[in-house]
Amino acid sequence: MQQQVHFLTLATADLDAARRFYVGGLGWSPLLDVPGEIVFFQVAPGTVLAFFEAAKFAQDLGTGPARPAVSGVTLAHNVADRDAVRALVDAMAAAGGTVLTAPEEGAFGGVFHALVTDPNGVVWEVAHNPGWSVDADGTVRLGQP
């Protein structure tokens, strides 16, 4: 198996709320949107993030009516500077997100970050980390840029 992930699919209790948050609130463009079922977003070269209506997600997994919950997972979005952290957190809150941790200094690594949940409880870390960089081809560098 190659060291790659092409799809991240999250069960979503309220698909319409997810759509309003990501499309209407944050301005994301769906790659494919199937009302009442799933919405896909291209989030990086070769990587798609999908929000799948929870009952249909459970059906797809063969778990019956059980509604899987997102737990122990954060999605991270790195930005260019501290002001961009503040601005994006404000935009996410205005779009219907809930700020769990206001922008603040992180515990390590010089990171400045905040935590925000989307309307379905997906936790996003919005961060500026001067020790990380992302190349034009999408390669992440974990040392000094």
Side-chain angles (χ1 to χ4, degrees):
M1 179 177 171
Q2 293 181 344
Q3 188 174 320
Q4 298 176 353
V5 175
H6 298 104
F7 279 82
L8 301 167
T9 304
L10 304 177
T12 302
D14 187 340
L15 184 60
D16 290 333
R19 186 179 293 105
R20 284 190 301 274
F21 181 77
Y22 291 99
V23 176
L26 299 181
W28 287 21
S29 298
L31 181 63
L32 176 65
D33 189 346
V34 181
E37 188 170 327
I38 194 166
V39 61
F40 297 91
F41 298 99
Q42 182 89 43
V43 294
T47 307
V48 173
L49 176 62
F51 296 94
F52 201 170
E53 193 279 322
K56 293 185 189 280
F57 182 91
Q59 180 183 7
D60 193 51
L61 291 179
T63 61
R67 292 177 39 171
V70 176
S71 175
V73 174
T74 60
L75 302 178
H77 182 79
N78 293 311
V79 295
D81 56 46
R82 292 166 178 251
D83 288 339
V85 171
R86 292 181 190 99
L88 182 52
V89 168
D90 289 346
M92 293 174 88
T98 300
V99 178
L100 298 177
T101 304
E104 65 181 9
E105 297 292 333
F108 62 92
V111 69
F112 182 77
H113 66 153
L115 297 171
V116 180
T117 63
D118 80 357
N120 286 291
V122 175
V123 179
W124 281 91
E125 177 185 29
V126 179
H128 167 64
N129 187 332
W132 290 35
S133 63
V134 181
D135 295 346
D137 70 356
T139 301
V140 175
R141 305 283 175 195
L142 299 180
Q144 292 298 321

